[in-house]
Amino acid sequence: SLGIRLDSHQVTPQRGRKVWNLLADKKTSRSVVISSYLRKTGMNILALPLGTAQIENLPALLMERNRLGTVGVVSGSGFIRYRARYDDGASVDGPPNADDLKVPEKEDPALSKIASELGLASRPPPQTLETIASFFKNNFSYSTHLKRGRSVAPWRRNTPLTDFLLDHRSGHCEYFATATVLLLRKAGIPARYSTGYSVQEYD
């Protein structure tokens, strides 16, 4: 039911369906009230800060959580408002696993080429992070105007990521994020691409 189901399981509500415990034993000192519009049918992904242990006053008919920590609900309501209690420490996302080292077959040749040029296999993780960050900072530019590649190499299939890495070296945030995750994986560092919400203290 979730965007990527990944062994999702139901979360059981408590106190008359007013409280949903994600981490029942965790103590929290921070909370935030979140307002959102949801589809009235199907599963909706919830906006939650990292380290959320409990959700209150959420008008949901069903809640599921998968092993990566994604929480989804079927609500039946359009506009909802709920409180998320959170804190540092334990979170619901799962630890790294074999999936966090996988590289798509079509992009593997281009990623292998870049990883070899940067010498990622021989670097310790902190230096690998610095090397990849420097590689993008010094050789790429940000743009929402996407171009097609010029490659004629037989192993190239001109995927958008291949074009980004080896040809025009210009793209928007999703290209930088995807390429970074996959280069980290090529270096043996488990990595995930995530999208979501950043909850900050009010200033």
Side-chain angles (χ1 to χ4, degrees):
S1 301
L2 297 183
I4 301 177
R5 193 171 181 95
L6 293 174
D7 307 323
S8 64
H9 65 274
Q10 287 191 23
V11 179
T12 304
Q14 305 186 0
R15 296 185 211 165
R17 304 190 71 85
K18 291 188 176 292
V19 175
W20 305 77
N21 283 320
L22 301 178
L23 296 168
D25 298 328
K26 180 175 177 178
K27 304 292 185 194
T28 59
S29 61
R30 293 184 273 182
S31 72
V32 61
V33 174
I34 300 170
S35 300
S36 178
Y37 283 98
L38 302 183
R39 296 189 315 272
K40 291 186 179 181
T41 59
M43 189 67 71
N44 295 271
I45 305 302
L46 279 190
L48 296 171
L50 184 66
T52 296
Q54 189 177 84
I55 302 167
E56 298 175 351
N57 301 318
L58 174 68
L61 306 172
L62 170 74
M63 179 182 290
E64 289 187 1
R65 186 182 93 199
N66 70 20
R67 64 178 170 79
L68 297 182
T70 303
V71 177
V73 296
V74 174
S75 173
S77 301
F79 178 79
I80 63 168
R81 190 174 170 87
Y82 56 96
R83 180 178 297 276
R85 297 196 177 277
Y86 69 103
D87 218 322
D88 297 332
S91 64
V92 294
D93 51 318
N97 57 54
D99 288 337
D100 299 318
L101 288 170
K102 287 183 179 177
V103 172
E105 185 178 341
K106 287 183 179 179
E107 275 81 25
D108 189 62
L111 292 161
S112 294
K113 182 177 187 299
I114 299 296
S116 176
E117 290 173 359
L118 298 177
L120 299 183
S122 62
R123 300 179 187 274
Q127 193 175 26
T128 296
L129 297 172
E130 291 177 7
T131 300
I132 292 174
S134 178
F135 170 65
F136 286 118
K137 180 179 180 181
N138 297 326
N139 299 288
F140 290 73
S141 62
Y142 180 88
S143 175
T144 55
H145 178 69
L146 305 179
K147 305 171 186 175
R148 292 301 298 165
R150 303 177 303 276
S151 171
V152 295
W155 51 268
R156 296 278 297 282
R157 294 292 179 267
N158 279 349
T159 68
L161 189 65
T162 294
D163 289 343
F164 172 73
L165 284 170
L166 300 181
D167 287 329
H168 50 75
R169 295 196 163 180
S170 178
H172 52 70
C173 53
E174 292 175 352
Y175 285 85
F176 285 93
T178 301
T180 298
V181 166
L182 295 180
L183 283 172
L184 288 171
R185 291 181 178 186
K186 286 299 293 185
I189 299 174
R192 293 175 183 165
Y193 181 112
S194 66
T195 60
Y197 305 83
S198 176
V199 176
Q200 308 295 333
E201 294 297 328
Y202 178 75
D203 185 354

